[in-house]
Amino acid sequence: MSTPVDGALGGTDAEGMSTHRLEALTDGIFAIAMTLLVLNLDVPDVPLETAASAVPAFLLSNWPQFTNYAVAFFVLAGFWTVHHKQFHSIRHVTGPLLWLNILALLFVALVPFTTSLSGDYHPILLSAVIFDVNFLIIGIIYLVQWLYVSGNPERFLHASVDGHRIVQAKRRLLVLPLAATAALAISVIIAPGLNGFGYLIIPILLAALRR
């Protein structure tokens, strides 16, 4: 006899699992991760009489933290959009799909830490690599997740999702991993503190795919 635990681990009970609870969990994790990013930004503790000069100097010297905050926030927003569009097309959840999603959330929840690490130690290559690899892993997992469900569309996808939409979704899912790879290359080849420029290719590639 199958149990709910068996179903969660990939048994037959997971076959009919609704997508709604998984979407709710994902929304919550993304919301928390995106909110925690702002806690990495410090407010300067300076005397009021010197604040006029000290605060601008503090903000200028801490540009890596602000840059990483913005990059991480918008990239996470991109991943959330990817997830939303995927599950708009998916009819139900199976065990493997459930655990692929949870694995992605493991790395989504890690983003505030890797963002803080990269911002505080922006000249250090390892911190930038960890930041970029974090996003690369999330992107790869979401790509694998789509390949898994689109490989058996009759089982997973709504009838309205045709072959063209499946291919277009695959192409869009390559954008974020490509951007993370570009950022990683910039970190290694040019300078760790400039890796944020790699993510500027995201709107360019998305615009190209709309043509």
Side-chain angles (χ1 to χ4, degrees), residues 53-139:
S53 59
V55 170
F58 173 86
L59 295 176
L60 186 61
S61 65
N62 284 272
W63 67 265
Q65 284 86 346
F66 292 102
T67 301
N68 278 23
Y69 164 75
V71 168
F73 189 92
F74 284 109
V75 173
L76 279 180
F79 280 126
W80 178 83
T81 302
V82 164
H83 185 274
H84 173 73
K85 288 182 177 179
Q86 280 193 10
F87 276 79
H88 185 71
S89 301
I90 295 172
R91 293 190 293 115
H92 59 254
V93 177
T94 60
L97 181 57
L98 171 68
W99 286 102
L100 274 172
N101 197 84
I102 288 175
L103 182 61
L105 294 179
L106 171 70
F107 290 97
V108 168
L110 191 62
V111 169
F113 167 74
T114 58
T115 303
S116 179
L117 181 70
S118 180
D120 291 345
Y121 300 99
H122 61 94
I124 299 175
L125 177 60
L126 179 61
S127 63
V129 168
I130 291 172
F131 178 77
D132 297 327
V133 168
N134 192 174
F135 285 130
L136 179 59
I137 291 172
I138 298 170

